[in-house]
Each structure stands twice: as C-alpha cells, then as structure tokens.
Amino acid sequence: MKKEKTEKADTDTEGFVIIEHPADTGISLTAESLEKAFEIAAEGMFSIICSIKKVKPQKQIRMRISSSPEMGVEGLLVAWLEKLIYLHEIKKMLFSKFDVAIKENKSKKIKLSANVYGEKIKPSFHELYLAVKAPTYHKLSLKKDFANKGRWTGMVIFDV
Amino acid sequence: MADYKIKRLSEYKWEIEKDTTKGMRVPGIIYADDILFEHARSENTIDQVVNVAGLPGIINASYAMPDIHFGYGFPIGGVAAFGIEDGVISPGGVGFDISCGVRLLRTNIEASSIKNKLEDIMYKLNGAIPKGVGSKGRIKLSKHEMHKLFTGGVPWAIKSGYGWEEDSVCIEENGCMEGANPDYVSREACERGNDQVGSLGSGNHFLELQKVSKIYDGRAADVMGLYEGQLTVMIHSGSRGLGHQVCGDYLKVMQQTPFWRNASIADRQLACAPLNSSEGKRYFGAMVCAVNYAMVNRHCLAHWVRLAFESIFGSSAKKLDMSLVYDVSHNIAKIETHRINGADCKVCVHRKGATRAFGPESAGIPEVYKDIGQPVIIPGDMGRYSFIMTGTQRAMQESFGSTCHGAGRILSRTQAKKQIDGSELQKQLLKDKGIVVLAQSLSGLAEEAPAAYKDVSKVVEVAHNAGLSKKVVMLEPLGVIKG
C-alpha cells in the first residue's frame, strides 16, 4: 500500500513522503525496484502540484529519455521529472499513472521509456496547489539500499 | 554545521574566515544582526555560503545579504562575482526562475478613495491577470516572435503595442539585456514559454495594490513620484517555464564537461563552467533570453493592470499617472564593471535572491535617479509591508552593488500548511486589516501567510544600517492577488 503525504519518513513501506525544506519542498521515497522508484517520484511530484487522486488516467503519452554515465540514475531521475513538467505545461495536463521501463546499454548509457497517463487540467476540479518549477540536484539521491532489503531509496528537492 | 571560524566585523557584518581545508578560495561575508545570523546558522545556510566560496575565480568573498536563508546550491540572498578570464558562471547561482523580479507602478489615486470599492477592483484585476498552476498568458508567440522577444526585450514589447514608450527607461538594463542568443535556448524552453508571456505564475508570485504608508527619505520619494497615502501597484513574477527549462538544460550540460568532473565541488546544483568556455557562453546567451522574457512578462502584466484601471476608473492610465517607478530582477548573472583593488574590472556578478543596488552617479541607472541611486524594491508578506529603498555607494564598494530582496521564510511550506488555514487567513486579513486577498489555491495561500515569513522590516533595517541600501518608503498591502 502506498503511503502519501505522511510526516514521518518510512523506509519499510513502498511510497513517498513530503519532506521539509526551509524555502522549497521535496520528497523522499522507497521502492522495490528502480522503475518503481521513478514512478513513485512522479506521483510525489504531481501530489505537490494537485490532488492527484482526482486525476483520471484517461490519456496515454509515450515518452523516452536517456542519461549519460556521468549523470547516472540520479541525473536520469531529474531528467524524467523535468520531462513530466514539460509535458504538464505544454499539453496543459496532469498525470497520475506511470509505467516505467529502464535499460542500460553497453556504453553505460541509461535509457528510460514510459507510458504516462493523465488528463487535461480542470482547475476547479483538480485542486491545483502549487507549480513545481523544477527538480533540483541539491541533496539529490537515488540508490539501492542493501541494508534495507535491496530497496531503492531516494530524495528530490523541488524548486516551487 | 561544520566548525567555522566566525569573526564579527561590525554590528551587521560577519566574516566566515577563509579555510582552505574546506575548499574556500575566499572568505564568506554575511550581513545580519544577531537574530538573522542565528537563523542562518540554525538552518545550516552558512554551509552554502562556504560552498560558493570554493567556486573557481570567485573575487573578494562569497556574500550573503540580510535575508539570507537556506536554498539549493547558492544560499538565497547569495552574491558572488567571478573574474571574466578565470571565473565561472553557474546556473545554480541564478536559480530556476531566471530574472524573477519586482516592478512598481505609481498612480495619482488616493488609497483612501478606493476603500469602499476595493473588493470590486480586486475582482476586476483578478479577471485581468492570468495566474496559477499551468496558467497561460493572453499572448501566444510564434518561434520567430519568441526570438524577437529574446533579443528585443521590453522595447520590442512596446513596439508591439504593450506599454508606454517611456517605460523601458525605468527598467534594469532598459528592459533589454545585451548578449541574448536565441540559438542557445532549447526547443522545449521555447515551447514552455510561448504562451506564458503576461502570466503571474504561482508560489510566492503576486500582484498587490498598496498604499504608501510612511516616508523615510522625502527627497528620494519626490524623485520617484511617491507620497504618503498614494495608491501603488507591485508585481512579482519571473521567466516562467522558459527560465526554468533554460536553467535545467544547462545544469545538465555543465555536469558533463571535463571541467566539472575535475572541479570537486560537493553540490551538483552548483554546476558551473568557465565564463569563456563554450558551455559558459551558451548558458549566458540563453540566460539573457530568459532575462528579457521575464522583463517582458512583468511588462505585459503591468499593461493588463493599466487597462483594468482604465476600465475601473473611467480614465486613461496616463491621466491616472500609472508610471513605472522601477523594475528590478533578483535572480540574475550580469557582466558589470566594479572597482577592485583600485582598478575598474569587468566581472560576472551572480545575484540569487539579491537585488542590484547601484548607488548615486553609477553607470547603468536611469538619468532621473542619478542623484539618489537606483530604486530597490523589497517585497514583504501579504499582511504587513514592503519597502522601496535606494542603492548606495557603500554597496558599490562592499557587495558588488547588491542588497537584500525580501523577507525570507521562517516556516517551511509544510509547517505553514499545518499551522495555518488558508480560508481563515483570508477572512482574518480582511477583518483585521481590511486586506482583500484573492488566491487560486487556499493551501497555496496558507504557504504564503505572513506568519511563514520573517518580518521584512527587520531585514530592511539591517540593509539600511549596514549601508547596502537606504529606506525611502514603506508600502502597506490593500489587496493581494496570489498566483
């Protein structure tokens, strides 16, 4: 079961929590797989933007991004969230469901392909909270935590 | 917080002594009183001042203005200048909201005369101003027009029918910063920006009707055309999705260079490149496009406000003397000439949550303000006050012509939402202070509550007493539109 917007970080349960930042806001997350970590991060970000439970996964968009070895999975996570903000702004859509696949090729380039699902923004219905300007690299982390049953744990601070 | 050697240089100035073991190339200088300094220390913001002090080519010091608080990469309130030949430029030293800034319009309307129709006026203004999450402006620009905007700035907007001919004089860089190169702005950035010109955005962006409530410097207030009891309009917005994308694009570019791989800088948000490198030049060219976009954005918002006032008051905006007092950015990197060790030197000054505060007779400020110094606009919170100040010669000598930019938060957004009810706040501000607040989101409103911010007068007092900028007038909010 996913845990949303609780105040206490919980690394045993798959999901995200909103974390405190003096000026901005962020999420910490726990996931059973790398792909799931990306899906949960996206859910966390759209939970900052709107009431995500009200967003119907009516329309599907297919997307692909990649990240160089020096940017790593953390860089790919930022690129993924940036791409979702871009789609949100230019298509005037909110997203609530994310199916992510990630592959690494021989040259260590990491490729992400995803189907994202959502609908057009209806301001009065979706309870818009706050625009997320961007995910930042500040305190950014995403790693497999061998001390925690090999789960993926991470943190993203957003500029809002 | 790491163990730093901290020296108090004066009542309002602290030095974090240079410590090469922490990678510092220069000391840190923080302008604060005891309370503001303790706040910065408790948030670990001093670590961020120290991180900036380690960037290559930094000159004199890593500065923090009196509204210093914890950001990402640079601290908010951070100022750093870098040598043109050996220094760097950092997208994180400007921030995602490139050229986020503030604009003040005056009027010849007595604030007391609108008391009974304030609510009506606010609803009409609310209808005239695009705002909120995912909002778009009233203008949709083609790629060709976007490029014209990038290189032409506010003068282009004026030629296109928005605003008055004389407006550009009272905007930093006359509304058009030199060095824009549209080829360095990504397709994604253009797409995000092409329908957002003239929109407020969300978060801490706002439009306020205000009253001049106190005059501190009568001569400077006269020059700005400000007097007690006068109605003014303040607009706070930035470069919207376009600027956010430019920053993100170049943070990625800069982290993939040999320079960055060898730089050994802890925070990836401080990614940077030499100013004279291809990556540095490309970021600068794109950033200037975003700066010009932000200035046009505020200009178009002001245009809608003037049109709304014409409709509300049945008189032309010219007759209502809705002149622009000034428009200034507080997230920017600029090539400026400053006096260093007795010689005039060109440097790249980064201001992240800090305002240019050029003193009297400085180059680059409007002729009308040459005697008093450049107007500095310091927005406060929606329940108390904002301030207009002027730049000083002391700021030119001490802080690369920079001062504070606002209050700075004391409650995180989560804490604010937990403690404050947006709907109750709206009612309370109306009941207790007569302030009409219109917001797109009540939870967003709670996050921006007065209690979530420091008292801006304390910050302004420190900037004034430290000599970085001088108080001119206090403005109190009458009506607030939050994005």
Side-chain angles (χ1 to χ4, degrees):
Chain A
M1 191 182 141
K2 284 200 181 93
K3 199 163 183 182
E4 288 183 15
K5 296 207 169 195
T6 57
E7 299 306 322
K8 188 168 162 280
D10 179 356
T11 53
D12 290 334
T13 314
E14 192 169 63
F16 69 89
V17 292
I18 301 289
I19 53 172
E20 301 269 343
H21 181 274
D24 291 296
T25 194
I27 54 165
S28 68
L29 64 89
T30 304
E32 297 294 340
S33 67
L34 179 60
E35 287 81 1
K36 201 70 194 162
F38 276 66
E39 292 168 9
I40 288 169
E43 286 170 26
M45 185 173 77
F46 278 97
S47 296
I48 293 167
I49 296 172
C50 66
S51 176
I52 193 169
K53 287 175 193 156
K54 293 188 173 178
V55 180
K56 294 187 187 91
Q58 284 173 337
K59 192 178 170 196
Q60 176 192 327
I61 296 176
R62 177 96 184 134
M63 59 179 272
R64 280 195 181 88
I65 54 166
S66 62
S67 180
S68 64
E70 57 251 82
M71 296 302 285
V73 286
E74 292 168 342
L76 186 69
L77 180 61
V78 167
W80 155 247
L81 297 170
E82 276 179 345
K83 187 79 175 179
L84 290 170
I85 293 171
Y86 160 78
L87 290 172
H88 155 62
E89 284 193 9
I90 67 153
K91 295 193 178 292
K92 314 294 174 211
M93 284 180 72
L94 295 164
F95 301 103
S96 58
K97 188 179 166 217
F98 312 89
D99 291 333
V100 173
I102 295 172
K103 279 183 186 166
E104 190 178 87
N105 68 14
K106 280 179 194 163
S107 58
K108 301 275 181 195
K109 193 170 185 179
I110 316 164
K111 291 186 171 182
L112 177 151
S113 58
N115 285 316
V116 302
Y117 303 84
E119 64 175 328
K120 286 275 181 193
I121 300 173
K122 289 178 252 171
S124 54
F125 179 74
H126 287 131
E127 288 182 48
L128 300 172
Y129 302 138
L130 198 59
V132 170
K133 289 174 187 165
T136 74
Y137 293 91
H138 178 63
K139 294 190 172 176
L140 174 68
S141 70
L142 182 62
K143 58 177 187 289
K144 195 164 186 166
D145 186 355
F146 291 101
N148 186 18
K149 298 175 187 169
R151 293 187 178 103
W152 286 81
T153 57
M155 174 159 59
V156 187
I157 304 290
F158 297 100
D159 185 355
V160 293
Chain B
M1 191 180 80
D3 184 25
Y4 300 120
K5 282 186 188 153
I6 297 170
K7 196 160 69 183
R8 189 169 198 162
L9 302 177
S10 68
E11 199 175 352
Y12 302 105
K13 193 172 172 183
W14 309 69
E15 180 181 322
I16 317 301
E17 288 184 27
K18 180 177 155 183
D19 181 346
T20 48
T21 64
K22 293 185 173 70
M24 294 173 79
R25 295 165 194 260
V26 292
I29 297 286
I30 298 176
Y31 292 93
D33 61 11
D34 289 288
I35 295 168
L36 295 173
F37 188 80
E38 214 33 65
H39 183 77
R41 198 205 292 255
S42 69
E43 280 186 344
N44 295 335
T45 316
I46 292 171
D47 293 344
Q48 295 186 326
V49 176
V50 167
N51 289 344
V52 173
L55 293 177
I58 187 166
I59 298 170
N60 289 354
S62 161
Y63 298 91
M65 300 296 109
D67 48 343
I68 175 176
H69 59 290
F70 197 77
Y72 47 84
F74 270 55
I76 298 166
V79 174
F82 297 88
I84 296 290
E85 297 304 324
D86 62 346
V88 295
I89 186 163
S90 169
V94 174
F96 284 96
D97 200 356
I98 296 169
S99 186
C100 182
V102 207
R103 166 178 286 233
L104 186 75
L105 294 174
R106 67 179 187 228
T107 72
N108 58 14
I109 300 164
E110 291 292 330
S112 56
S113 72
I114 64 159
K115 206 175 171 187
N116 295 330
K117 46 188 175 192
L118 180 61
E119 211 158 348
D120 186 38
I121 293 170
M122 290 310 295
Y123 277 104
K124 282 183 175 144
L125 274 174
N126 198 40
I129 300 299
K131 66 211 151 285
V133 177
S135 59
K136 53 182 181 179
R138 293 188 188 169
I139 311 163
K140 173 135 187 175
L141 300 175
S142 66
K143 186 181 169 189
H144 177 70
E145 288 167 321
M146 285 289 278
H147 285 199
K148 291 262 184 200
L149 181 159
F150 291 156
T151 54
V154 170
W156 168 83
I158 292 168
K159 263 189 222 156
S160 306
Y162 302 101
W164 302 345
E165 194 64 43
E166 59 270 35
D167 285 340
S168 55
V169 175
C170 284
I171 304 174
E172 190 177 8
E173 299 293 323
N174 293 321
C176 184
M177 187 168 162
E178 273 181 36
N181 190 330
D183 293 342
Y184 299 149
V185 179
S186 68
R187 177 182 55 81
E188 287 86 354
C190 283
E191 284 175 353
R192 285 177 73 175
N194 68 12
D195 66 353
Q196 293 185 339
V197 182
S199 64
L200 201 57
S202 80
N204 62 1
H205 293 163
F206 65 79
L207 185 149
E208 273 187 19
L209 287 195
Q210 304 168 327
K211 174 181 78 171
V212 179
S213 59
K214 205 169 187 177
I215 307 275
Y216 302 95
D217 181 341
R219 182 171 149 259
D222 274 351
V223 173
M224 294 184 203
L226 299 175
Y227 55 88
E228 206 165 330
Q230 177 185 22
L231 183 71
T232 58
V233 184
M234 188 179 282
I235 296 167
H236 179 211
S237 190
S239 52
R240 310 284 285 112
L242 177 120
H244 312 160
Q245 186 76 38
V246 167
C247 181
D249 288 344
Y250 282 93
L251 281 169
K252 269 200 281 289
V253 167
M254 290 185 183
Q255 287 177 72
Q256 296 178 75
T257 63
F259 173 83
W260 179 252
R261 277 195 290 276
N262 297 323
S264 306
I265 294 163
D267 191 343
R268 292 175 74 172
Q269 194 64 34
L270 288 175
C272 54
L275 265 160
N276 55 17
S277 67
S278 157
E279 294 82 11
K281 286 175 185 166
R282 279 159 55 205
Y283 170 65
F284 186 78
M287 181 209 65
V288 176
C289 292
V291 169
N292 291 340
Y293 181 96
M295 292 191 288
V296 170
N297 184 37
R298 290 190 290 276
H299 187 73
C300 288
L301 285 165
H303 178 69
W304 311 139
V305 169
R306 282 175 178 157
L307 293 186
F309 265 64
E310 287 183 345
S311 150
I312 293 162
F313 292 95
S315 180
S316 76
K318 291 254 179 185
K319 278 191 184 157
L320 296 169
D321 186 29
M322 296 187 76
S323 299
L324 178 54
V325 176
Y326 206 60
D327 179 304
V328 66
S329 302
H330 46 232
N331 283 355
I332 199 163
K334 297 177 74 175
I335 308 296
E336 294 173 352
T337 301
H338 288 276
R339 196 109 186 121
I340 300 165
N341 299 329
D344 285 342
C345 298
K346 270 194 175 182
V347 293
C348 181
V349 183
H350 291 58
R351 298 191 180 93
K352 166 98 176 284
T355 314
R356 193 184 76 166
F358 279 8
E361 304 305 325
S362 300
I365 65 175
E367 206 50 48
V368 63
Y369 297 134
K370 281 276 183 199
D371 283 350
I372 60 165
Q374 171 220 308
V376 174
I377 307 171
I378 311 293
D381 61 70
M382 67 174 92
R384 285 178 279 194
Y385 24 62
S386 296
F387 289 85
I388 305 300
M389 306 182 84
T390 44
T392 62
Q393 281 305 333
R394 184 136 174 210
M396 303 307 286
Q397 290 153 13
E398 287 204 16
S399 60
F400 291 102
S402 310
T403 189
C404 56
H405 89 304
R409 296 189 73 92
I410 43 171
L411 293 182
S412 72
R413 292 179 178 277
T414 317
Q415 285 170 328
K417 275 194 288 196
K418 213 186 299 174
Q419 293 177 20
I420 299 153
D421 179 290
S423 171
E424 280 305 310
L425 173 68
Q426 204 172 24
K427 285 179 203 153
Q428 195 191 339
L429 285 169
L430 183 63
K431 186 168 164 258
D432 296 351
K433 299 193 168 186
I435 302 169
V436 176
V437 180
L438 305 177
Q440 293 301 291
S441 153
L442 288 173
S443 74
L445 186 66
E447 291 178 18
E448 292 299 317
Y453 283 90
K454 284 180 232 161
D455 180 344
V456 73
S457 71
K458 310 283 186 207
V459 170
V460 161
E461 212 54 41
V462 172
H464 180 88
N465 291 331
L468 300 179
S469 46
K470 273 178 69 187
K471 289 190 290 183
V472 178
V473 303
M474 177 197 273
L475 304 158
E476 286 181 10
L478 302 170
V480 183
I481 294 172
K482 294 297 285 187

